[in-house]
Amino acid sequence: MKQTVLIFLALFFISIAAQAQRWEVGITAGSMGYIGDLNQNNYTKLTNFAFGGMVKNNLDGFWSIKLSVLKGQVEADESKSKYQQERDRNLSFFSPITEASLQVEFNFFDYGRLFGKSRITPFLFTGISGFAFNPWKSNMFTPVDKDKGYDAGL
């Protein structure tokens, strides 16, 4: 573990020092949370760890293409609510979520591998994204039930 952290830090600082980057690789970590029928009042409640990564190819000083993936899980459990009516209803669920996206980015100023004349540029991006989820639900009246779902968006 210690060796992995040292390698990661070394790669991080090497990538900062490099002026000419065609490829970028990144990792992300954070939390996922759920807002919906079973959590209508606590908008900042984060329930589970999420992690992901991305690979970006800077095609030239103006265009780049990026692929990213994020994985985590959301859940809600009304039996732990501070509101009596939610505890009485006693619904709960959890669902792993995987999201992947492909994006294209356009920089207005030459922000290329050698940073052209500008290190700051406004940019536009667009892409396509899809996600998969697999919710499990239960309440005090019915056993655990499994359902599958998939979706995509632009």
Side-chain angles (χ1 to χ4, degrees), residues 2-50:
K2 195 174 193 182
Q3 185 179 13
T4 304
V5 172
L6 290 175
I7 290 171
F8 171 74
L9 289 174
L11 290 174
F12 176 75
F13 287 114
I14 288 169
S15 69
I16 288 174
Q19 291 286 326
Q21 291 183 356
R22 179 172 173 92
W23 289 92
E24 298 178 31
V25 177
I27 58 171
T28 184
S31 295
M32 281 192 170
Y34 165 77
I35 300 172
D37 290 345
L38 305 187
N39 180 24
Q40 298 180 24
N41 303 300
N42 190 354
Y43 300 112
T44 59
K45 183 178 182 181
L46 301 173
T47 57
N48 291 297
F49 179 73

Side-chain angles (χ1 to χ4, degrees), residues 51-68:
F51 63 93
M54 70 89 168
V55 175
K56 182 177 175 181
N57 185 351
N58 297 308
L59 303 172
D60 61 24
F62 296 94
W63 292 95
S64 62
I65 188 164
K66 178 171 75 170
L67 175 67
S68 63

Side-chain angles (χ1 to χ4, degrees), residues 49-100:
F49 179 73
F51 63 93
M54 70 89 168
V55 175
K56 182 177 175 181
N57 185 351
N58 297 308
L59 303 172
D60 61 24
F62 296 94
W63 292 95
S64 62
I65 188 164
K66 178 171 75 170
L67 175 67
S68 63
V69 176
L70 182 67
K71 181 131 180 86
Q73 180 173 300
V74 294
E75 65 182 74
D77 185 356
E78 288 186 323
S79 68
K80 299 175 183 172
S81 175
K82 65 182 179 179
Y83 300 101
Q84 183 61 45
Q85 67 272 21
E86 290 177 0
R87 288 193 307 271
D88 291 343
R89 189 167 61 172
N90 196 30
L91 297 174
S92 65
F93 84 98
F94 72 93
S95 178
I97 295 177
T98 303
E99 188 259 349

Side-chain angles (χ1 to χ4, degrees), residues 82-120:
K82 65 182 179 179
Y83 300 101
Q84 183 61 45
Q85 67 272 21
E86 290 177 0
R87 288 193 307 271
D88 291 343
R89 189 167 61 172
N90 196 30
L91 297 174
S92 65
F93 84 98
F94 72 93
S95 178
I97 295 177
T98 303
E99 188 259 349
S101 68
L102 180 64
Q103 300 175 2
V104 175
E105 187 177 293
F106 174 75
N107 295 297
F108 287 98
F109 306 138
D110 187 356
Y111 191 71
R113 295 183 294 265
L114 300 175
F115 292 107
K117 294 181 178 180
S118 178
R119 287 185 167 257
I120 299 173

